[in-house]
Amino acid sequence: MQKYIPANIEPKWQKKWKEEGLYLTNLSDTAKKYYVLVELPYTSGDLHMGHWFTFTMGDILARFKKRLGFNVLFPNGFDAFGLPAENAAIKHGIHPRDWTYQNMERMREQFETLGTSIDWTKTMVACDPKYYKWNQWIFLKMLEKGLAYQGKLLSNWCPVDQTVLANENVEDGKCWRCGAGVVQKEVIQWFFKITALADKLIWQDPPQADWPKHLREGQNNWIGKSEGMILDFDRIKVFTTRPQTSDGATFLVLAPEHPLVSKLTTKEQKNDVESYIKSVKSRSELERKESKEKTGEFSGSFVKNPVSGRQIPVWIADYVLMGYGTGAIMAVPYADERDKQFAEQFKLPIIKTSFKAKPSGQKQTQYHLHDWSISRQRYWGTPIPIIYCDKCGVVPVPEKDLPVELPYKVDYAPQGKPPLATAEDWVRVECPKCGGPAKREVETMDTFVDSAWYFFRYLDNENDEEIFDKKIVADWMPLEIYIGGPEHTLGHALYSRFFTMVFKSLGLIKFDEYAKKRIHHGTILGPGGLRMSKSRGNVVNPDKEVKSYGADAIRLYLMFLGPYDIVTPWKTEGVNGIYHFLQRVWGLQEKAGVDSLSLRDHEDMRMMHRTIKKVTEDLVELKFNTAIAALMEWLNHLSRKEQVSKEEYKTYLCLLAPFAPHITEELWQNVILRSASDEGSLTNVSSNELRDSSLIAQNDEFQSIHQQPWPQFNDKYLAEEKVKVVVQINGKVRDVLLIQKDIINHKEVIEKMAFNSPKSQKFLKGKLVKKSVYIPSKIISFVV
RNA sequence: GCUGGUGUGGCGGAAUGGUAUACGCGCUCGCCUUAAGAGCGAGUGGGCUAUGCCCGUAAGGGUUCGACUCCCUUCACCAGCACCA
């Protein structure tokens, strides 16, 4: 027997599977289909452990479902637009496109070494005009529907990356990419009106799709719907969710950015207010959030509280946000903690509220969610299909002129204006309306637009006429399962739901939710328990690990670590353990495949059927770790035997195949070929010749193990001949009886046996049995 | 502060009302070996007056013949959101 050397078998089978097109999906066969998706990777250059972890899960599911007879689609693409490409370009003097395509090439090869069953013919690349043309098309459609608009808003601005950031991309007041402190700046930009669908985006109870509770609650929280009222305090409108406390409003507070601030400020207060506003502006978001003290300044003006009739002062303070409600509040220090703190700090009156006030006002629903700002002042993204004409104003690019292609030659170094502005020939354009001289929009779309709908495009990725064929999408969507990271809860996972709803309103699809099930995967940390990062130097490189242990061992190791959502460090000893397991599987061929050996032994049959059942059920429930444990238990059983029958051996390989596709394929082909030559028909033929011979095509067993039907279990083998029944006395285990199957349902007999057993007698002697409970095949419980 | 989640051996974890610690790692002992490693076999929650018994799933209480599992209280940790009026 040859030694198990993964490097000798893994590339060989990867090549063969690819040549034979084993994983190509025929989309016209929709009788029993299964679409499994893993979040597409960003083209950063290398697959990291996280990719291995999530794509192994997806791959195991794809292989398992295929073996159950499903027509499985498991595609993948690349999130290829974005800032890192541009930053790398600036740093290394390589064009973002070249950098991206080089990375993509390397990543495709790495996906192959992982042994995934991805169908690469159904793919998409975000920076390909064939793809982003449809981003532009969606933009135009949304513009028509009033779901895209241009507006001027205070926005998060990253001074280092020189771009606007969505709320979701600001972490602790810092840019999620470069960590620079974000400042507020008023900018004209394009928005998607996600707030128009805020109500529809709220998750119901029970949920309309099987998505994690954590995600549903998180999104609902982020959407932040609250019902309240707009009340008028003279000219000032405030929003409140508790109008019944308005009799206790003893002052008003305006956000420093509120448009009425300058009007309301009196001459005497002018200097103080102006210096206060100046100090607010100079504080960063972070400082503002961290300081516990409240700050503010009196405007000098008073307004009338319409309920109490009192004149109350108007203050200006930054604990009131311009971006929520009306940017002004009535302060009820008696009922509100923050107002109370402010009142105490500035010695403002606190009066009791009746909680019964009924002010007149207008009902209003308010959301925390803001419209999605999609303009980015950078180069490497989808051009926004808009033309500015001096005569006609803002003119959308006509559909027939799509795609608006991103010019290759630009000066993408940041210089305070969008890089596309430097491509003067590209910018200069005829107005589609009047034919006069005009200029293109020089900003690009947020890359989250690319990933908001890519899974639709996989299904019809070559289509130049429409975004996708409605029928194919109707046949294949929604996704059966979408595997992704919890960090996308408020970004990608929300945007893609929004896009799906927009597609429905455009009549492209008929469903609201694009994935029946979503799961959040875990994280593999560095060996020391910290997040892997280059700067920490604790990155475990999958390529290196594959060289030492092979892809199968890494796949199994990752899946065996724990549940799919586990957050846990990488441990080399653990990989050793799995490698050892694979070597034992490899060694099994020594005593395996003995044809004459039939499965007479009941325990052998029981172990086999038990394992089939366990692995099958665990895969359905995505419990990869316990499925592997069951396979280990069966291997322990098989290892103790002198010989292993062909049926057991083949079943074993079949069950292990989704987890470890290479070693099982090799062993499968070996055992099939060996039995063929045992039959005498194929002597003096080498393995390779045999594989290519015509005989193989005639017999299904000669096909890849990944095309074999999934093993079936039969309940009749599951029962043990003698069943263990535990004897409990007053809740404590005192004895275990071995009971023949045929009397297991006779309560009186079992009760007598349990009562009379010497061990039980020790505890029962001279005591009165008050009650006995018998659960067949499990337990008999006495109360004395 | 709000929301969601978690708490089990030396470690990752298993068991979701019925023998707690499956499976793996680590460790101990033994076999094999010139030796080391690998491999194979046995053991591995704690305690004790040890053929047996007691304790034990963050802490305390409850329901039940029986609780890691269900209910109540408390504590700790993780994640997300957060001056949202």
Side-chain angles (χ1 to χ4, degrees), chain A residues 413-427:
Chain A
Q415 39 191 275
K417 61 177 180 177
L420 277 178
T422 66
E424 284 169 21
D425 290 346
W426 179 86
V427 171

Side-chain angles (χ1 to χ4, degrees), chain A residues 457-469:
Chain A
R457 186 67 182 173
Y458 285 149
L459 293 165
D460 196 14
N461 61 344
E462 298 291 331
N463 199 334
D464 278 336
E465 303 301 313
E466 9 167 42
I467 184 166
F468 50 72
D469 182 279

Side-chain angles (χ1 to χ4, degrees), chain A residues 486-772:
Chain A
E487 70 276 17
H488 291 123
T489 296
L490 305 180
H492 164 64
L494 188 61
Y495 295 147
S496 48
R497 290 181 63 217
F498 167 60
F499 263 50
T500 304
M501 289 172 188
V502 170
F503 283 6
K504 190 185 178 193
S505 77
L506 293 173
L508 298 170
I509 55 171
K510 292 205 167 79
F511 48 88
D512 287 306
E513 300 290 344
Y514 66 91
K516 291 183 194 166
K517 185 179 176 76
R518 179 175 167 89
I519 61 164
H520 282 164
H521 61 243
T523 314
I524 311 300
L525 306 170
L530 296 170
R531 217 160 251 281
M532 286 191 200
S533 80
K534 278 180 196 163
S535 57
R536 282 204 191 94
N538 64 346
V539 174
V540 179
N541 180 340
D543 295 348
K544 249 190 191 161
E545 299 298 317
V546 169
K547 278 201 184 104
S548 325
Y549 300 101
D552 284 342
I554 307 304
R555 291 169 58 115
L556 273 166
Y557 167 71
L558 290 170
M559 293 300 102
F560 186 60
L561 273 172
Y564 62 75
D565 58 356
I566 193 174
V567 176
T568 194
W570 175 271
K571 278 194 174 172
T572 307
E573 310 88 61
V575 190
N576 268 321
I578 287 288
Y579 190 57
H580 175 213
F581 163 71
L582 285 177
Q583 275 169 331
R584 288 176 65 210
V585 171
W586 183 261
L588 206 59
Q589 59 185 311
E590 289 274 87
K591 52 182 165 188
V594 180
D595 228 359
S596 53
L597 193 75
S598 54
L599 279 175
R600 290 282 173 264
D601 185 84
H602 180 80
E603 191 54 18
D604 287 345
M605 286 300 268
R606 198 181 69 84
M607 279 304 292
M608 180 166 91
H609 285 268
R610 193 185 85 144
T611 311
I612 298 171
K613 183 171 196 260
K614 178 75 177 149
V615 172
T616 308
E617 289 174 355
D618 280 354
L619 281 177
V620 169
E621 292 168 45
L622 313 175
K623 290 157 79 173
F624 306 107
N625 56 332
T626 49
I628 295 167
L631 284 163
M632 288 172 167
E633 282 181 68
W634 192 20
L635 180 68
N636 290 343
H637 175 81
L638 294 176
S639 303
R640 280 191 289 269
K641 306 206 309 169
E642 286 291 311
Q643 290 188 313
V644 172
S645 77
K646 199 197 260 183
E647 188 187 356
E648 285 173 299
Y649 186 56
K650 278 159 66 175
T651 304
Y652 195 88
L653 296 178
C654 275
L655 292 179
L656 181 61
F659 302 90
H662 309 89
I663 189 175
T664 50
E665 181 78 301
E666 178 77 13
L667 293 171
W668 176 264
Q669 298 294 335
N670 285 349
V671 72
I672 297 304
L673 292 172
R674 201 165 74 207
S675 42
S677 59
D678 282 351
E679 281 159 21
S681 54
L682 294 159
T683 44
N684 302 325
V685 182
S686 80
S687 297
N688 281 335
E689 281 174 283
L690 193 57
R691 275 189 192 118
D692 295 333
S693 78
S694 58
L695 191 136
I696 289 169
Q698 293 160 22
N699 187 337
D700 286 346
E701 282 208 322
F702 285 100
Q703 304 287 326
S704 164
I705 190 172
H706 305 298
Q707 292 177 306
Q708 302 302 318
W710 188 251
Q712 300 295 305
F713 64 89
N714 188 331
D715 281 323
K716 80 176 179 190
Y717 297 112
L718 293 177
E720 291 175 85
E721 276 172 339
K722 286 187 175 177
V723 183
K724 283 178 190 165
V725 173
V726 172
V727 183
Q728 277 190 358
I729 297 163
N730 282 354
K732 289 196 167 157
V733 178
R734 296 303 182 187
D735 200 1
V736 179
L737 303 175
L738 275 176
I739 306 292
Q740 291 290 335
K741 253 194 298 193
D742 44 352
I743 56 162
I744 202 72
N745 286 320
H746 295 78
K747 183 183 172 182
E748 310 77 43
V749 181
I750 308 281
E751 205 175 275
K752 209 175 236 175
M753 286 173 72
F755 187 82
N756 288 330
S757 94
K759 283 182 181 172
S760 307
Q761 271 303 307
K762 262 175 65 179
F763 297 90
L764 290 171
K765 222 179 212 168
K767 304 229 170 97
L768 183 69
V769 175
K770 277 196 239 167
K771 188 174 175 182
S772 74

Side-chain angles (χ1 to χ4, degrees), chain A residues 95-264:
Chain A
H95 193 278
R97 190 165 87 188
D98 303 335
W99 184 83
T100 302
Y101 274 88
Q102 279 170 23
N103 288 347
M104 228 153 28
E105 230 14 76
R106 190 158 65 247
M107 290 170 82
R108 277 223 175 97
E109 284 164 21
Q110 287 169 325
F111 269 112
E112 225 151 89
T113 68
L114 160 62
T116 55
S117 56
I118 291 169
D119 178 351
W120 284 104
T121 64
K122 304 178 179 61
T123 187
M124 53 68 69
V125 173
C127 63
D128 183 343
K130 274 160 64 184
Y131 181 78
Y132 68 68
K133 167 182 177 179
W134 299 105
N135 285 345
Q136 295 170 339
W137 181 85
I138 295 163
F139 177 91
L140 294 178
K141 288 292 154 195
M142 286 174 67
L143 203 58
E144 277 173 29
K145 284 236 156 201
L147 288 168
Y149 65 92
Q150 197 173 32
K152 192 176 186 183
L153 256 187
L154 263 189
S155 303
N156 308 304
W157 175 262
C158 173
V160 172
D161 288 336
Q162 297 266 313
T163 183
V164 164
L165 298 170
N167 280 354
E168 295 77 7
N169 298 343
V170 181
E171 291 166 359
D172 288 333
K174 292 179 197 158
C175 171
W176 69 320
R177 284 282 187 210
C178 69
V182 168
V183 298
Q184 296 297 305
K185 193 173 164 181
E186 213 166 51
V187 195
I188 296 185
Q189 52 193 309
W190 289 96
F191 291 91
F192 283 157
K193 205 171 182 178
I194 192 168
T195 53
L197 294 176
D199 266 324
K200 286 197 78 179
L201 286 165
I202 294 171
W203 288 91
Q204 307 300 313
D205 200 19
Q208 53 271 36
D210 181 10
W211 284 40
K213 188 168 191 175
H214 172 255
L215 175 143
R216 291 186 274 117
E217 294 294 330
Q219 291 193 344
N220 284 359
N221 224 320
W222 185 251
I223 292 166
K225 181 178 183 173
S226 48
E227 317 256 10
M229 253 184 173
I230 301 281
L231 304 180
D232 279 331
F233 285 72
D234 293 338
R235 290 153 294 178
I236 304 166
K237 287 182 191 306
V238 304
F239 173 72
T240 178
T241 52
R242 292 196 289 172
Q244 69 273 21
T245 65
S246 54
D247 55 343
T250 52
F251 56 100
L252 240 53
V253 187
L254 305 189
E257 302 87 359
H258 197 284
L260 289 177
V261 165
S262 56
K263 264 192 199 169
L264 287 163

